[in-house]
């Protein structure tokens, strides 16, 4: 298989415009917070589709695009997911997580109750695809975690830019999602993202992000 190469279409912008756009985007992104208390208010599923389309532009190892995004809107399926997630999370919080982990989470106020899985109008379940079968051959994908992480980051940014709130939720283990959503065995759950508007009275812990000098080096 060979790709045809074509001239890259590129519209250069001025440094001033770069700075303006960069600042504007930073202002949007710095307001993103993980929300655990959602409003049940619905909105057009087209907004979610647009964000997933944006995520789908992410770079990936050998352009294999090793991801699947499943939108869950059905209250019946959301309930099934909540029940399965809470079962695993209860076990994790009460038995599987070491004390040091529980201590780190305590100030954030999380526990095994996951009402948001039923309340948020949409759940996006991100799956990673490690390989595909073609002509009875297994074809491995490359840098799958990196690729799906990049696409998921772009998904979160797109949703934030559209004024929608998200939570990056990782029930553990989460193979139940493969079963409930009837995905084939080569699709492994990667992240569960409730999406919606925050509840009127939603609260978030007053955390801060590291300052630039703490995360950046210039050599
Ligand atoms: N998956 C659990 C526990 C949890 C773990 C981390 I690391 C967090 O930053 C937050 C929660 C849960 O969703 O509650």
């Amino acid at each position: 298989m060979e790709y045809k190469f074509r001239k890259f279409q590129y519209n250069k912008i001025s440094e001033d415009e770069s700075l303006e756009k960069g600042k504007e985007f930073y202002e949007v992104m710095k307001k993103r917070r993980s929300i655990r208390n959602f409003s049940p208010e619905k909105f057009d599923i087209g907004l979610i589709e647009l964000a997933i389309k944006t995520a789908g532009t992410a770079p990936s190892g050998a352009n294999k695009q090793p991801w699947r995004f499943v939108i869950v809107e059905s209250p019946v399926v959301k309930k099934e997911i909540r029940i399965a997630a809470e079962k695993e999370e209860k076990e994790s919080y009460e038995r599987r997580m070491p004390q040091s982990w529980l201590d780190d989470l305590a100030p954030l106020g999380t526990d095994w109750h996951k009402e948001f899985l039923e309340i948020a109008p949409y759940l996006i379940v991100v799956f990673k695809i490690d390989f595909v079968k073609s002509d009875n051959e297994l074809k491995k994908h490359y840098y799958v975690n990196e690729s799906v992480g990049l696409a998921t980051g772009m998904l979160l940014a797109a949703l934030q830019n559209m004024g929608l709130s998200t939570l990056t939720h990782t029930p553990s283990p989460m193979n139940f999602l493969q079963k409930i959503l009837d995905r084939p065995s080569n699709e492994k759950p990667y992240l569960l993202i409730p999406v919606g508007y925050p509840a009127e009275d939603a609260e978030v812990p007053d955390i801060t992000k590291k300052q630039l000098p703490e995360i950046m080096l210039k050599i």
Side-chain angles (χ1 to χ4, degrees), residues 36 89 93 97 101 105 108 110-111 114 169-172:
R36 293 185 166 78
E89 290 291 90
Y93 275 90
M97 287 151 82
W101 193 350
L105 288 182
L108 298 170
T110 62
D111 62 28
K114 305 297 174 193
H169 180 41
T170 51
S172 175

Side-chain angles (χ1 to χ4, degrees), residues 3 14 37 48 75 80 105 110 160 181:
Y3 291 117
S14 70
N37 189 357
I48 304 274
E80 211 181 329
L105 288 182
T110 62
Q160 172 68 12
L181 301 175

Side-chain angles (χ1 to χ4, degrees), residues 68-135:
R68 170 96 50 224
F69 301 92
V70 179
I71 308 174
V72 182
E73 186 183 10
S74 153
V76 175
V77 180
K78 285 196 290 182
K79 189 187 192 99
E80 211 181 329
I81 290 175
R82 176 187 174 179
I83 291 169
E86 285 187 334
K87 184 165 172 249
E88 292 296 357
E89 290 291 90
K90 189 165 193 297
E91 185 64 20
S92 289
Y93 275 90
E94 291 178 357
R95 275 175 275 279
R96 291 195 282 242
M97 287 151 82
Q99 192 55 45
S100 53
W101 193 350
L102 294 171
D103 291 347
D104 272 338
L105 288 182
L108 298 170
T110 62
D111 62 28
W112 64 264
H113 296 93
K114 305 297 174 193
E115 292 91 347
F116 53 73
L117 291 173
E118 278 193 83
I119 296 170
Y122 299 103
L123 308 177
I124 304 175
V125 186
V126 184
F127 287 85
K128 64 173 180 175
I129 306 175
D130 284 310
F131 59 87
V132 283
K133 220 189 230 170
S134 94
D135 306 331

